[in-house]
Amino acid sequence: CGGCHTMDVMGAIMVAAEFGLKSGNGTMESIMDDSVSSYNFTTAKVQLQDLTSNLVVIGGPGVNQVTWYYNGLKYPNNSRVLPAYFSKFGNGTDNIYVVATNHYYAIQYDSQGRISADYGLVEVFNDHGRYVLILAGLGGAGTWAACKIVSTYDSWGLTGCAAIVRYRDSNEIGRAH
């Protein structure tokens, strides 16, 4: 996995602050992806080492190996476990695919080649008795947007197991508003 974007870290801080305020004891354990998983270089597979703790996983499959693990999970019939997941178009461009709607989301660029919209994924599911919340984007801005939604959850009234979040730089200065 590669390095995360600074915006991923900013998003993680927002989520940790909000969850800390809402928790009974005001604390939350924070760990790196390789503390709960391991990567086998021979088989190119990730194995989870902690199978009981609830998880909040921040960052896309390119920067977080736990996201990569869950993103690749398949049922015996080869269909994906997650209702929305990261994929690639034939030309190698990353996207988020939503199974229920058969819709793809990809980073959008303006006429000068600058990112004008990024997409994030907010997804929660039950993994054999433990809850996993994935907050990830195609880019750092998408991850930040997914984290922003969760850190201000009470404002949104979300239901369901997955939501796609759009980060749009409408003022073209690199900041959402």
Side-chain angles (χ1 to χ4, degrees), residues 1 10 30 35-36 48-49 55 63 68 77 113 131 149 153 165:
C1 293
M10 292 169 38
S30 176
S35 296
V36 294
L48 294 183
Q49 296 165 338
L55 297 173
V63 300
W68 188 45
N77 68 2
Y131 289 97
I149 293 296
Y153 183 82
V165 179

Side-chain angles (χ1 to χ4, degrees), residues 29-172:
E29 186 175 352
S30 176
I31 56 173
M32 296 293 293
D33 55 348
D34 61 357
S35 296
V36 294
S37 63
S38 61
Y39 180 76
N40 183 316
F41 288 93
T42 304
T43 63
K45 296 204 183 280
V46 172
Q47 182 174 6
L48 294 183
Q49 296 165 338
D50 176 353
L51 301 175
T52 59
S53 299
N54 293 329
L55 297 173
V56 177
V57 184
I58 298 176
V63 300
N64 189 312
Q65 67 185 21
V66 176
T67 305
W68 188 45
Y69 169 82
Y70 281 112
N71 193 65
L73 276 183
K74 295 182 180 180
Y75 291 114
N77 68 2
N78 212 32
S79 66
R80 299 284 186 121
V81 170
L82 297 179
Y85 58 87
F86 292 86
S87 184
K88 289 188 182 290
F89 291 122
N91 66 3
T93 303
D94 294 325
N95 66 67
I96 299 173
Y97 176 67
V98 180
V99 176
T101 62
N102 195 35
H103 193 84
Y104 294 88
Y105 297 86
I107 290 177
Q108 298 168 352
Y109 299 89
D110 66 14
S111 61
Q112 296 177 340
R114 297 176 300 193
I115 294 175
S116 60
D118 190 355
Y119 291 90
L121 173 62
V122 176
E123 188 162 36
V124 65
F125 61 98
N126 188 307
D127 178 23
H128 300 94
R130 67 137 162 223
Y131 289 97
V132 178
L133 172 62
I134 295 176
L135 305 171
L138 291 167
T143 299
W144 179 88
C147 291
K148 180 70 173 174
I149 293 296
V150 170
S151 69
T152 59
Y153 183 82
D154 295 338
S155 303
W156 298 98
L158 296 175
T159 60
C161 58
I164 303 299
V165 179
R166 179 177 168 196
Y167 170 95
R168 186 171 63 106
D169 185 10
S170 60
N171 56 11
E172 297 182 353

